[in-house]
Amino acid sequence: VVVYFFFFKQKTAYEIYQCDWSSDVCSSDLEKYHNSVTIKPNNRTSISVHLARKTKAKAFIRSLFIPGLGQFYAEKPGRGTLFLLGEVAAIVGIYSFNSKYNTAIDDYHTAQNKYQQGVDQHDIDSYYNDMQTTFNKMNSAAEKRKLFIGTAAGIWLLNVFDSALSGAATEK
């Protein structure tokens, strides 16, 4: 006979008998534990499990590494999802505008080389205008990239502070 026990959030060790489960266990207090136990028929078996309480410190540490992870740990999945998706969106923005910035730099250098090698005044004026246009695109992409870097840093900091202040709901 194989019996699966799912233990959730229990601070102290208990003996668990068939149909004996204490209702004072709060599912958000303790870290989850899963294990299977084989019990032979007609044998009384004692199972002892010690589960650690969730703490603000553990939520804080998790949020330092991955935004939202501390909130998921503290049983606040809505906040965790917002922080995680916000950070991913900010990183996508950083990557996107960094790519546009690098393209604008290449275009600027191309226009600059054409400008320096130009012979005809009409071509020189056209290359100069191209340089100005690509320079403006480069500056715009750099500013937007800075904005997304600041956003990513802000989301990360807010996530860390949120996990440190709200942390696990039942810490004592």
Side-chain angles (χ1 to χ4, degrees):
V1 175
V2 175
V3 179
Y4 289 95
F5 288 95
F6 295 91
F7 297 97
F8 295 99
K9 326 267 192 240
Q10 191 162 334
K11 174 91 171 144
T12 58
Y14 288 92
E15 286 188 7
I16 300 175
Y17 302 106
Q18 185 176 2
C19 298
D20 181 22
W21 177 252
S22 175
S23 64
D24 66 345
V25 177
C26 179
S27 65
S28 65
D29 287 358
L30 305 170
E31 296 177 355
K32 291 177 175 50
Y33 175 80
H34 168 75
N35 202 355
S36 61
V37 178
T38 302
I39 301 174
K40 296 178 183 175
N42 301 323
N43 278 352
R44 185 175 177 170
T45 303
S46 176
I47 301 171
S48 178
V49 177
H50 176 74
L51 300 177
R53 285 206 178 272
K54 291 183 178 181
T55 66
K56 289 181 181 182
K58 289 177 183 176
F60 175 77
I61 298 286
R62 284 167 170 77
S63 286
L64 281 175
F65 293 105
I66 299 176
L69 193 58
Q71 287 77 10
F72 283 111
Y73 170 80
E75 305 284 334
K76 296 175 182 172
R79 287 182 180 183
T81 301
L82 286 174
F83 284 121
L84 184 61
L85 292 179
E87 195 69 23
V88 167
I91 290 170
V92 167
I94 292 167
Y95 176 78
S96 173
F97 285 105
N98 190 59
S99 177
K100 289 179 182 184
Y101 176 78
N102 289 334
T103 300
I105 286 177
D106 291 341
D107 292 346
Y108 178 79
H109 287 298
T110 300
Q112 187 179 37
N113 287 337
K114 287 180 180 179
Y115 174 78
Q116 291 172 345
Q117 296 172 0
V119 177
D120 182 33
Q121 185 61 42
H122 181 268
D123 290 341
I124 291 173
D125 291 340
S126 176
Y127 297 144
Y128 181 78
N129 288 334
D130 289 346
M131 278 177 42
Q132 284 183 322
T133 301
T134 56
F135 183 79
N136 291 337
K137 286 181 183 179
M138 186 174 60
N139 281 340
S140 175
E143 289 301 315
K144 289 175 183 172
R145 181 181 62 180
K146 285 179 191 175
L147 176 69
F148 277 98
I149 289 170
T151 301
I155 290 171
W156 181 81
L157 282 172
L158 185 60
N159 151 70
V160 169
F161 285 127
D162 179 69
S163 68
L165 297 176
S166 62
T170 59
E171 185 176 9
K172 293 180 181 176

